[in-house]
Amino acid sequence: MTTITKPARSVDWTKDRIAALATPDVKQLRANAVRLNDPEITQRCDDVLGERPRGRGAAKKAVPGAAPKPRKKRVKAAEAATPETGGAA
């Protein structure tokens, strides 16, 4: 009679080790854990992701002494079509 056992993991994914990963890597690890039916690692990934701030990613740091880029003025479509602004009538 043969016994079926879960294959040994080559990496022990502790919460500290997961926390050291970048957010996209944690999300990928979580997806792999779900696919491989490993609820322990899935929960650890959820814990780490829950502790991270949600945002648009790393903001660009301003370079000291550099002037910000000027913003272009948006023109509404109705204003752009008037002869005063150079639009087609």
Side-chain angles (χ1 to χ4, degrees), residues 6 8 11 25 28 36 41 53 56-57 62 68-70 80 83 86-87 89:
K6 201 172 193 179
V11 177
D25 294 333
Q28 182 63 55
L36 296 172
I41 294 178
R56 294 177 47 207
K69 291 183 179 178

Side-chain angles (χ1 to χ4, degrees), residues 34-86:
V34 169
R35 182 177 51 86
L36 296 172
N37 195 23
D38 194 334
E40 293 174 14
I41 294 178
T42 303
Q43 183 60 46
R44 289 179 197 150
C45 290
D46 287 340
D47 293 343
V48 168
L49 290 170
E51 294 170 358
R52 294 199 175 173
R54 290 184 176 93
R56 294 177 47 207
K60 291 183 179 181
K61 295 184 178 182
V63 177
K69 291 183 179 178
R71 298 178 106 185
K72 293 183 179 178
K73 182 178 177 184
R74 288 185 153 191
V75 179
K76 293 182 183 177
E79 293 174 1
T82 62
E84 294 86 28
T85 59

Side-chain angles (χ1 to χ4, degrees), residues 3-35:
T3 57
I4 299 174
T5 60
K6 201 172 193 179
R9 291 185 229 147
S10 60
V11 177
D12 185 27
W13 289 107
T14 63
K15 187 174 177 182
D16 292 334
R17 186 169 184 156
I18 295 170
L21 297 173
T23 300
D25 294 333
V26 176
K27 289 179 181 179
Q28 182 63 55
L29 177 63
R30 185 189 182 287
N32 291 344
V34 169
R35 182 177 51 86

